[in-house]
Amino acid sequence: AAYITNNEHPLGSKDQLDFAPGSEEYHAIHKQYHPKYRSILYDRNYYDIFILDLEGNLIYSVYKELDYATNFALNGTGQWKSSGLGDAYEAALKTPDVITVIDWKPYGPSNGALASFLSTGIKKNGTLVGVFATQLPPEAKPICSVLPSISDQQWRDAVAEAGKQRMLVQKATRVYLQVMKGVDVETNRVDFVLTVGDATASMRKTMKGYDTIPAPPTQAIANLLLDAWEQWEVLDQEMKLSLELNDVSFTVLTKVMQLSKAIDDALDAALEQYVLSAMEAQPTLHSAIWGVSQRQASLVHRMAVEALFIRLGIGVDVNTASFAESAGAFDVAHWELLEGRSASVQTSGSSLADTALLRTTDACTLNAMEDVMSKFVTMKASLQEMLASNTTASEHAAIRAAYQLGNAVSDDMATAINFYAAGSGTCILKRSATAWEVSLDELSRLPYLFNKVQSEFALVEAGLSEAWLKKAASDLTDHKGFIRTEAWDPRLVDAFLAFKEGWDSFRPTNAERLLSLQVAYITLNEHPAGSKDQLDYAPGDELYHRVHKQYHPTYRSILYERNYYDIFMLDLEGNLIYSVYKELDYATNFAANGTIDEQGKVHYGEWKDSGLGEAFEAAVRNPDIINVIDWKPYGPSYGALASFLSTGIKQYGKLVGVFCTQMPPESKPINSTQVLEQTMQTIDDRMLNFKYGKTEAHFYPPMTQTIANKLFEVSDRWDELEHIAGGPRSLESLQTMMSQSDGLTSAVVALEGVVVDQAWTAAPELQGSRIVVANEQLALLQAMCRDAVLTTQSSLGVTSKDIAASMSSFEANHKLLMEGGSVRRLAAKTDVAGISEDPVALDLMHKAEMQWLALKPVLEAIVTGSPATETALRTIVESTASAVESMDSAATYWGTTTRTTTMMTLEILAPVPFTGDWPAGQTMRLAAQLAESLINEEQQILPGYKLKHVFHDDRCDASKNSQIVLAEMSAKDTYIALGGTGCSQACAATSSVASSIKLPFLSYECSSDFDPKLSDTNTYPDLTRMGTVTTPVTDVIKNMGDNFGWSHVIIISGDRSKYKKLADERKSKFESLGFSSEYKSPVQDDFNSIQTMMSEIKESTKGK
């Protein structure tokens, strides 16, 4: 304290104090001799001068660093006894009559700088009484570089150990905090001791060198490692003492947080210096990749440390920001490792972030990295669940899950790191038949997408897309004028009021009107679908039929004259009381808020959220203008894009109804610029999936190196083509694009061949060649469309012969798919079999053939010399889209056999209560969809068939339920069973209907608590009910778990705010029964979210 702490001179100038105040003899002696030895130090340019007694005490030094007054005896307890000065002291004791030289190495009291010491004995009358030592000045250090002497393997091992020690420090802190949270205390205490030991050993290896790990190769690295070591010793002791005393105080935890962060920063900087030094010494080594990959393992545990500190209430704001930063850093680094990175500084690199990274193309490394990311996403979700938990049990479960996943991510990352260090990996990859099938199906669609890009580019370059957009805008203007004319015609008010009177008097309720009118004008209408408008009126003496007879011919004529697709009249309740075309929207309701019946129940129309629903609501809000609803799929028109115009119908200035028209399909805008950009994005997404995987969609990285090599060739060629497609839409660009397209197509074909061959070896049951040929049909259709457009540009060299060749290939492929045969460019073992015994395939191919026959004459006209006029090209574009859609259904059928194994679709009619007294329909639908998905994918139940639920809202209303069943059964005959129907009164009413039409009836609830008769099998012999009794569920699962060796239970619920309390109770119960348990909650009502979560659970629990 006297010569350092209380010394008023600044650090580095403590030698300026000649003596400290006080009466002690030491100060008087210091006053006598210190100026002399300070002068010697300056004269000789020593760094410091030391005098030590025979007990090892440093009784005097000039410079007064932290070694002053400490002990250097080897057998003593001094902090620096093993340092260079300690070595010098011990050497002088052994050989006091010589000058001993201690070589340069880091010296803690000198801020870890390299230091060298000279020492000799101090003798009085021949007797050794002490030791005299000097510390050489830094500039006396030999100028040398050890970098060239370090081998490639040593650099790899040094970088690996530098990353490992950083990860171990974070893991040790994490395990310590888990003990502090009371999670698996004894297990984590053991893990803590082991991890601390590993961290200490790792840090010593890098500081001193060990085996193939060199000592610090630069002073900067040595300083950083020493700084980290000194703080690690403090952190180590702090955590051990805290555990011993069970001290969870804010002060202790804050100190642990600060030390852990400081050590992590120092070790991260050391890792970066290792990498930069390796790059300087061996520029050909991929040391930057080693460094970035090593950081990933540390970030995994660092995220957990930050999350745990948040839960402990330590540095909440700082750690919340750091948690997000660490997660983002992991994600960015992951994709930079995969996709590569350009150097931002073209010098030797001032930081690791400035250095270039090569992209990853090694198949084993790509698969290892996919495993890493898949588990990282789940681990991150567990940490977020921990942060959101509000009970100790749920918090602990999330901590356990995150810890297990974190270790798994670290293990997988270690595998990837080894592959990166070696430059490639060795692995045996086994994938399911589904994975091979997805690869085949999606890869063989690429040529179609490439042709689509060229087609849309050509349409833009030729100005056709712009012309059609202008025509669409002109048609819209015309039709706005048409509807205005119709709306202002006094006859409209008369017609509307007459239809409204007929509607109101036709049946007592809207539900009865819907059912009866659809039966009269659709079901019993003898005219075929698409010509229902030919019926002037239905038989019967009701007023509605007489009104229909009076006005329908008039509005049908207007429809033909104006070329409307349909005309609609709706009352102010939203009921579609009249339409010309009589699709399934007829007589339904379009009010956004539904209608209320006499009992006060709300009823919602099936299409209320459609374009026509929007048109109705817009006209009610703005009845004096023409409201335009843009093009989007419309269910009643078989899902085709539809646009609607609407306005109010007024009588004496009062709004009485709504008049709407549906635009004709040929007025639809064709925006090729937008389609081009969307198609390019689709290809980009596919390329990412092919290269790096997307497990929830059954995409995996390349399964062999041969596939990887060919895949990256395809990707590189696409990048070149995409650059052109994204540039100026000029003829020159189109010419360049076409000249490069053959090379891209050839690369894809070569890749397809390899995948087909290897898929056959791995999964012989796959129809590899059939999948490829079916998707080739899509490419051929799009090629014909493209070439038809390109024939208008003679400079491109595309002629009618090209179209004829594609037509010939298409028909040959069609015959091959129908009758079977060999595929010349593929191996004989992948021959295509005929489909004569597959009724689903026959039906799909028949539909595809019908669309082809509609397109073929227009193409033949161009082939035989007719000009490719704008009208002809539009017909080709639209007909091609229809043919592609139809052929795509067949291609999808063959390309998804392992996911659906579909020989035939089995439809289940499922009216469920989405609204009404007991709106449980959402839950029923999601549960049914999940079960449907599992059954279709696994093919253990009903192999060879695909289940499909068709849901309707019965509003928990018996009458509505029966109407749905009757209407659907009259509209189609493909239903094989009746499901859903959760409300007891609906079950009772519909059971007799189902029995009369011989339809099996399986209810998803219908408790007998509300209607005891439902349990009477004599009264309801054909009704089967499935209940959801949950009271004994934990005991049942306990028995099943004992039977099957289960140890872990995952509880899943819908809306977390609604079900979390119940879920936590179940979780606690399972844990009391000896299970480990966790709680998950996907996005409610989002089937994709639920399916993704179930896929993740399935993957993470494999083999457990």
Side-chain angles (χ1 to χ4, degrees):
Y3 285 88
I4 299 178
T5 308
N6 297 332
N7 186 336
E8 62 183 5
H9 297 285
L11 191 67
S13 300
K14 300 295 183 183
D15 62 300
Q16 296 303 308
L17 179 66
D18 286 342
F19 63 95
S23 59
E24 292 86 346
E25 184 179 1
Y26 185 91
H27 301 318
I29 296 171
H30 198 279
K31 179 180 180 181
Q32 178 183 354
Y33 290 104
H34 179 66
K36 177 182 178 181
Y37 282 102
R38 179 175 61 201
S39 179
I40 291 172
L41 181 142
Y42 291 163
D43 290 343
R44 306 294 193 193
N45 194 27
Y46 292 129
Y47 181 87
D48 208 346
I49 294 174
F50 312 96
I51 299 174
L52 301 95
D53 65 17
L54 294 181
E55 293 178 357
N57 298 306
L58 178 55
I59 61 176
Y60 171 75
S61 77
V62 174
Y63 202 54
K64 301 294 188 301
E65 291 189 317
L66 292 177
D67 49 7
Y68 173 56
T70 65
N71 187 274
F72 286 85
L74 184 61
N75 297 326
T77 59
Q79 184 177 0
W80 316 108
K81 65 177 183 176
S82 300
S83 66
L85 184 54
D87 295 342
Y89 167 73
E90 293 293 336
L93 291 182
K94 294 175 183 176
T95 56
D97 299 320
V98 300
I99 305 300
T100 300
V101 179
I102 304 301
D103 205 1
W104 298 85
K105 65 178 180 179
Y107 185 54
S110 298
N111 296 317
L114 295 182
S116 175
F117 298 90
L118 308 182
S119 66
T120 190
I122 303 173
K123 287 189 175 183
K124 183 178 182 180
N125 300 324
T127 302
L128 183 67
V129 294
V131 169
F132 181 76
T134 61
Q135 183 174 344
L136 289 175
E139 55 266 33
K141 181 178 63 176
I143 299 175
C144 64
S145 175
V146 299
L147 300 185
S149 65
I150 299 176
S151 68
D152 293 357
Q153 184 61 49
Q154 285 179 307
W155 278 120
R156 279 195 290 267
D157 291 347
V159 172
E161 200 65 36
K164 179 181 177 183
Q165 64 185 358
R166 184 185 177 205
M167 181 273 292
L168 288 169
V169 170
Q170 290 302 305
K171 183 178 179 181
T173 309
R174 176 182 190 169
V175 178
Y176 161 78
L177 294 175
Q178 288 176 179
V179 175
M180 293 295 97
K181 289 297 296 179
V183 179
D184 301 334
V185 173
E186 294 307 315
T187 301
N188 278 311
R189 279 181 177 272
V190 172
D191 203 0
F192 173 78
V193 172
L194 295 174
T195 307
V196 165
D198 290 342
T200 301
S202 178
M203 295 180 79
R204 284 176 173 160
K205 288 177 183 178
T206 55
M207 287 176 62
K208 296 185 175 182
Y210 178 82
D211 196 16
T212 58
I213 301 170
T218 69
Q219 187 60 49
I221 292 174
N223 293 345
L224 288 165
L225 291 177
L226 185 59
D227 178 46
W229 171 257
E230 290 173 352
Q231 295 188 84
W232 168 247
E233 287 189 306
V234 178
L235 177 61
D236 180 16
Q237 293 304 313
E238 195 72 38
M239 291 191 296
K240 287 177 178 175
L241 183 61
S242 170
L243 289 173
E244 182 180 342
L245 300 177
N246 196 27
D247 186 351
V248 198
S249 67
F250 179 85
T251 302
V252 168
L253 292 176
T254 299
K255 187 173 182 180
V256 168
M257 179 188 72
Q258 293 168 343
L259 286 166
S260 177
K261 178 69 167 63
I263 295 169
D264 190 60
D265 289 345
L267 292 178
D268 185 39
L271 174 62
E272 182 162 307
Q273 288 300 314
Y274 268 114
V275 172
L276 295 175
S277 298
M279 292 174 64
E280 179 184 347
Q282 300 287 355
T284 58
L285 293 178
H286 304 314
S287 46
I289 291 179
W290 309 342
V292 175
S293 59
Q294 286 287 350
R295 280 178 168 171
Q296 295 295 80
S298 304
L299 285 171
V300 168
H301 291 292
R302 179 168 171 165
M303 284 175 62
V305 167
E306 289 158 346
L308 286 163
F309 275 127
I310 293 170
R311 291 299 291 182
L312 287 161
I314 308 299
V316 173
D317 291 342
V318 171
N319 281 301
T320 299
S322 296
F323 177 83
E325 183 181 332
S326 297
F330 186 98
D331 196 59
V332 168
H334 179 85
W335 286 105
E336 286 183 339
L337 284 167
L338 290 176
E339 297 187 295
R341 177 179 72 194
S342 299
S344 58
V345 176
Q346 299 302 322
T347 61
S348 60
S350 59
S351 73
L352 186 53
D354 295 328
T355 59
L357 296 177
L358 296 176
R359 69 180 180 183
T360 303
T361 59
D362 175 66
C364 290
T365 310
L366 288 168
N367 279 275
M369 289 293 282
E370 197 283 327
D371 289 341
V372 167
M373 180 51 75
S374 177
K375 290 172 184 172
F376 172 77
V377 169
T378 309
M379 183 211 74
K380 179 182 173 184
S382 294
L383 289 175
Q384 290 170 328
E385 185 173 338
M386 176 191 79
L387 292 172
S389 61
N390 53 20
T391 67
T392 300
S394 61
E395 178 191 60
H396 286 194
I399 291 173
R400 290 188 194 99
Y403 186 52
Q404 292 170 355
L405 287 163
N407 288 334
V409 174
S410 293
D411 291 344
D412 287 345
M413 196 66 226
T415 300
I417 288 169
N418 290 335
F419 291 165
Y420 277 121
S424 63
T426 302
C427 57
I428 299 174
L429 298 171
K430 292 184 178 180
R431 297 300 186 202
S432 65
T434 296
W436 282 107
E437 182 183 67
V438 169
S439 294
L440 278 171
D441 185 39
E442 298 296 342
L443 281 171
S444 57
R445 286 172 185 264
L446 285 177
Y448 157 70
L449 293 171
F450 296 149
N451 290 346
K452 183 73 171 171
V453 166
Q454 296 162 22
S455 298
E456 302 305 326
F457 190 99
L459 288 170
V460 174
E461 189 280 327
L464 292 171
S465 176
E466 183 180 3
W468 294 335
L469 286 173
K470 288 180 178 178
K471 180 184 182 301
S474 175
D475 285 355
L476 178 58
T477 300
D478 290 344
H479 276 265
K480 289 168 79 172
F482 294 158
I483 190 174
R484 187 177 289 108
T485 299
E486 264 75 77
W488 288 354
D489 188 333
R491 291 178 299 176
L492 174 61
V493 176
D494 295 338
F496 172 79
L497 294 176
F499 272 117
K500 176 60 174 168
E501 183 182 1
W503 168 272
D504 290 339
S505 64
F506 190 76
R507 292 289 186 274
T509 67
N510 286 335
E512 291 174 283
R513 294 171 192 132
L514 183 156
L515 180 62
S516 300
L517 286 172
Q518 284 201 350
V519 169
Y521 284 89
I522 299 176
T523 308
L524 301 180
N525 186 335
E526 63 183 7
H527 298 283
S531 299
K532 299 294 182 182
D533 61 297
Q534 297 303 309
L535 179 66
D536 285 342
Y537 61 96
D541 57 1
E542 290 90 346
L543 173 62
Y544 185 92
H545 300 322
R546 297 196 298 274
V547 173
H548 198 280
K549 179 180 180 181
Q550 179 182 354
Y551 289 105
H552 179 66
T554 300
Y555 283 99
R556 180 174 58 205
S557 296
I558 292 173
L559 181 143
Y560 293 161
E561 180 184 346
R562 305 294 200 193
N563 194 30
Y564 293 128
Y565 181 87
D566 207 348
I567 294 174
F568 312 95
M569 297 181 196
L570 300 97
D571 65 18
L572 293 182
E573 293 179 1
N575 298 305
L576 179 52
I577 63 175
Y578 170 75
S579 76
V580 173
Y581 203 56
K582 300 295 187 301
E583 291 189 316
L584 292 177
D585 48 10
Y586 172 58
T588 65
N589 187 273
F590 287 86
N593 297 322
T595 58
I596 302 175
D597 63 17
E598 294 177 353
Q599 286 74 42
K601 291 183 180 180
V602 180
H603 300 269
Y604 295 96
E606 184 175 358
W607 316 109
K608 71 181 181 68
D609 297 321
S610 67
L612 184 53
E614 293 178 33
F616 166 74
E617 293 292 340
V620 171
R621 289 192 304 269
N622 302 291
D624 298 320
I625 65 173
I626 305 301
N627 302 280
V628 180
I629 306 302
D630 207 1
W631 298 83
K632 65 179 183 179
Y634 185 56
S637 297
Y638 304 98
L641 296 181
S643 173
F644 298 88
L645 309 183
S646 66
T647 191
I649 302 172
K650 287 190 170 183
Q651 182 185 36
Y652 308 123
K654 179 182 178 183
L655 183 67
V656 293
V658 168
F659 182 71
C660 293
T661 60
Q662 185 173 342
M663 295 283 289
E666 54 268 32
S667 296
K668 179 181 66 178
I670 296 179
N671 190 339
S672 291
T673 299
Q674 185 181 70
V675 175
L676 173 61
E677 291 171 353
Q678 291 171 345
T679 307
M680 290 165 62
Q681 185 60 54
T682 298
I683 297 174
D684 286 342
D685 293 342
R686 295 279 173 86
M687 288 297 180
L688 284 177
N689 293 343
F690 293 145
K691 291 187 288 189
Y692 308 125
K694 188 177 181 181
T695 53
E696 64 269 25
H698 300 289
F699 281 97
Y700 292 90
M703 291 173 239
T704 69
Q705 194 57 47
T706 302
I707 292 176
N709 294 341
K710 292 188 177 297
L711 174 59
F712 278 92
E713 180 186 355
V714 170
S715 178
D716 290 343
R717 287 180 178 274
W718 161 244
D719 288 343
E720 295 172 3
L721 194 71
E722 183 179 32
H723 178 72
I724 300 168
R729 271 63 161 175
S730 65
L731 181 59
E732 181 181 1
S733 296
L734 184 57
Q735 289 171 329
T736 305
M737 185 188 301
M738 295 305 299
S739 68
Q740 294 186 5
S741 63
D742 288 345
L744 176 57
T745 301
S746 297
V748 174
V749 170
L751 175 59
E752 285 176 354
V754 172
V755 175
V756 167
D757 187 60
Q758 295 187 6
W760 186 88
T761 302
E765 69 275 18
L766 289 180
Q767 304 179 61
S769 291
R770 185 185 297 283
I771 293 171
V772 171
V773 173
N775 282 310
E776 186 179 11
Q777 295 292 76
L778 302 178
L780 287 167
L781 286 167
Q782 200 61 51
M784 291 179 240
C785 177
R786 175 200 65 198
D787 291 346
V789 179
L790 296 180
T791 56
T792 62
Q793 297 283 3
S794 59
S795 62
L796 294 173
V798 177
T799 68
S800 59
K801 291 181 180 179
D802 296 301
I803 301 174
S806 295
M807 293 174 69
S808 177
S809 296
F810 183 88
E811 293 189 327
N813 280 350
H814 185 83
K815 182 178 180 181
L816 174 65
L817 290 169
M818 294 291 289
E819 300 176 6
S822 296
V823 185
R824 291 182 180 179
R825 61 180 176 80
L826 298 173
K829 61 190 176 187
T830 55
D831 284 357
V832 176
I835 60 171
S836 58
E837 296 181 2
D838 186 344
V840 176
L842 286 169
D843 179 60
L844 291 170
M845 288 299 291
H846 173 71
K847 290 176 180 177
E849 184 177 18
M850 292 301 100
Q851 294 295 336
W852 164 242
L853 292 176
L855 170 62
K856 183 178 178 180
V858 196
L859 293 171
E860 284 180 330
I862 295 177
V863 169
T864 56
S866 296
T869 63
E870 181 182 322
T871 302
L873 290 175
R874 172 149 188 149
T875 302
I876 289 173
V877 168
E878 293 179 335
S879 298
T880 296
S882 298
V884 164
E885 182 179 3
S886 185
M887 189 63 222
D888 181 63
S889 297
T892 300
Y893 172 72
W894 285 311
T896 57
T897 56
T898 65
R899 285 163 280 172
T900 58
T901 316
T902 308
M903 293 303 294
M904 184 174 291
T905 297
L906 302 179
E907 288 191 320
I908 300 173
L909 176 58
V912 293
F914 291 119
T915 57
D917 291 344
W918 184 60
Q922 295 283 9
T923 302
M924 291 180 177
R925 178 169 64 181
L926 289 170
Q929 285 179 322
L930 185 59
E932 175 188 289
S933 174
L934 290 171
I935 290 170
N936 291 342
E937 180 178 345
E938 295 180 358
Q939 286 293 291
Q940 299 299 313
I941 303 173
L942 295 174
Y945 293 90
K946 173 184 176 181
L947 291 178
K948 179 183 178 183
H949 284 78
V950 178
F951 294 97
H952 292 270
D953 182 11
D954 70 3
R955 307 166 195 170
C956 206
D957 181 278
S959 174
K960 176 64 177 175
N961 190 288
S962 298
Q963 290 168 7
I964 289 171
V965 174
L966 289 172
E968 285 296 306
M969 291 304 294
S970 65
K972 57 196 299 189
D973 59 0
T974 55
Y975 293 114
I976 54 94
L978 175 63
T981 314
C983 299
S984 301
Q985 64 271 28
C987 274
T990 303
S991 179
S992 58
V993 175
S995 179
S996 66
I997 56 178
K998 297 183 171 25
L999 197 64
F1001 185 12
L1002 175 62
S1003 161
Y1004 296 165
E1005 190 63 46
C1006 288
S1007 171
S1008 58
D1009 291 344
F1010 297 93
D1011 187 351
K1013 292 180 182 178
L1014 292 172
S1015 298
D1016 187 347
T1017 55
N1018 292 321
T1019 305
Y1020 299 104
D1022 300 313
L1023 172 63
T1024 303
R1025 296 177 299 129
M1026 297 179 68
T1028 52
V1029 180
T1030 58
T1031 306
V1033 69
T1034 49
D1035 295 328
V1036 170
I1037 290 179
K1038 169 63 175 171
N1039 290 335
M1040 294 173 71
D1042 292 342
N1043 255 355
F1044 296 105
W1046 295 345
S1047 60
H1048 188 68
V1049 176
I1050 300 174
I1051 299 170
I1052 302 168
S1053 81
D1055 186 346
R1056 179 179 286 265
S1057 64
K1058 188 181 298 184
Y1059 298 111
K1060 189 173 189 309
K1061 181 179 179 182
L1062 177 60
D1064 286 341
E1065 291 173 359
R1066 295 286 182 199
K1067 192 167 172 297
S1068 298
K1069 177 66 173 175
F1070 282 127
E1071 289 169 351
S1072 71
L1073 293 173
F1075 293 104
S1076 61
S1077 182
E1078 61 181 302
Y1079 170 42
K1080 292 181 178 290
S1081 175
V1083 179
Q1084 178 144 328
D1085 302 339
D1086 184 345
F1087 180 63
N1088 290 331
S1089 169
I1090 296 171
Q1091 195 172 36
T1092 298
M1093 185 194 70
M1094 295 301 292
S1095 297
E1096 290 172 353
I1097 292 173
K1098 186 176 180 181
E1099 287 294 321
S1100 65
T1101 56
K1102 279 183 178 177
K1104 296 182 181 179

